[in-house]
Amino acid sequence: MSAAKRKRIQPREIRPAPRPAGLVLDAQLHLLDRQVLDFDGVPVTTVDDLELSGPAADEPIPEGAEPPTITALLTGAILGTRIFGGRPPSNRLIRIPWDAVSGVDTVITVGVRSDSLEASWVERWLRDHVIGRIPGGRHDPE
């Protein structure tokens, strides 16, 4: 390759990447495996995966395109896939829409009650069938 064909890029020609509007989150650090609490602080579930908008995972993002955004938090019975590998079927994952999320901190808070979310069925079942059968398990300690 000749020197004429190899053009050296000068630092002043490199433009910084544009900052996307909104909150920028590191999915692994801020979202995955975090506890989800409802409006009243009741535990709902933990975040197992994310649903993103934009191109498919194996497609490159075209230059100038909007960055992918979170459309939903996914949760479900994935312990077996974590132990043995693979991915759970998408129909086994429960979606919590991203617009229901009201805060991201050490826990993720949703702005709705847990009874309205399909993801809280495990917590409700454990409360009613396991914890509720323990003496004193049906009321708060005094």
Side-chain angles (χ1 to χ4, degrees), residues 1-63:
M1 188 181 258
S2 68
K5 287 188 178 180
R6 281 186 278 147
K7 182 181 175 187
R8 185 174 172 105
I9 298 175
Q10 299 299 322
R12 65 181 179 279
E13 295 177 23
I14 299 174
R15 293 177 293 142
R19 295 268 312 162
L23 181 63
V24 178
L25 296 171
D26 181 331
Q28 190 171 11
L29 182 65
H30 296 113
L31 299 174
L32 296 177
D33 292 328
R34 294 290 176 137
Q35 180 76 42
V36 177
L37 301 179
D38 78 346
F39 182 75
D40 297 321
V42 175
V44 177
T45 187
T46 58
V47 178
D48 296 316
D49 204 353
L50 301 173
E51 181 180 87
L52 300 175
S53 69
D58 57 347
E59 294 180 15
I61 299 174
E63 188 173 331

Side-chain angles (χ1 to χ4, degrees), residues 129-140:
H129 293 89
V130 178
I131 305 298
R133 295 177 185 262
I134 298 172
R138 292 209 180 266
H139 60 81
D140 288 334

Side-chain angles (χ1 to χ4, degrees), residues 41-114:
V42 175
V44 177
T45 187
T46 58
V47 178
D48 296 316
D49 204 353
L50 301 173
E51 181 180 87
L52 300 175
S53 69
D58 57 347
E59 294 180 15
I61 299 174
E63 188 173 331
E66 291 291 319
T69 57
I70 301 170
T71 56
L73 303 175
L74 301 176
T75 185
I78 66 161
L79 181 61
T81 59
R82 285 190 177 182
I83 294 172
F84 301 113
R87 288 190 56 82
S90 60
N91 64 350
R92 302 284 293 177
L93 295 173
I94 300 168
R95 299 178 73 249
I96 300 174
W98 180 252
D99 48 352
V101 174
S102 61
V104 176
D105 200 6
T106 55
V107 295
I108 297 173
T109 309
V110 292
V112 295
R113 300 206 187 283
S114 65

